[in-house]
Amino acid sequence: MRIEEADLNTLKTAQRRGRVRSPETQELIEAIDSLVSGTAKSVEIEPGQTAQKVRALVMYAGKAAGKKLQAAVSGNKVLFALKEEKRRPGRPRKNPV
């Protein structure tokens, strides 16, 4: 066995466990990668699709892209954006010095 250094981007785009991603999923992953904080995108729900399935596909693509998303259904669209991390305030010290 020979172990070598590898490119992390190649790993992220490689097929995993024999799973082939559909063109729609690839397109979603690219859209998610291009998201910046404070912006949102949407996917229109087409006939024959349900809002739940489209939302699940968006969340799957987010996980595949390594991003945490927030998603919501509004009318015939699924809106998504990067999830903003809310920092909790620290606990107060018992014995302040």
Side-chain angles (χ1 to χ4, degrees):
M1 177 187 323
R2 186 173 65 166
I3 300 173
E4 300 175 342
E5 295 291 324
D7 182 31
L8 186 58
N9 290 327
T10 305
L11 174 64
K12 288 181 180 179
T13 59
Q15 295 178 10
R16 297 189 184 137
R17 291 173 278 171
R19 183 177 201 137
V20 177
R21 293 193 177 118
S22 68
E24 293 84 10
T25 305
Q26 281 296 113
E27 190 175 346
L28 271 172
I29 291 171
E30 291 169 11
I32 291 166
D33 279 336
S34 71
L35 273 176
V36 293
S37 184
T39 62
K41 295 194 179 199
S42 67
V43 177
E44 191 169 333
I45 301 169
E46 296 177 356
Q49 294 179 326
T50 64
Q52 292 82 7
K53 285 192 176 188
V54 174
R55 185 181 182 284
L57 180 61
V58 167
M59 297 308 283
Y60 167 77
K63 188 174 182 180
K67 311 271 182 161
K68 291 185 179 183
L69 298 177
Q70 57 185 7
V73 177
S74 177
N76 68 335
K77 292 185 179 184
V78 175
L79 308 164
F80 61 95
L82 293 176
K83 189 170 192 174
E84 295 185 17
E85 299 291 325
K86 293 183 182 178
R87 298 195 63 151
R88 297 189 335 199
R91 298 177 81 187
R93 292 184 175 195
K94 286 186 177 180
N95 298 323
V97 176

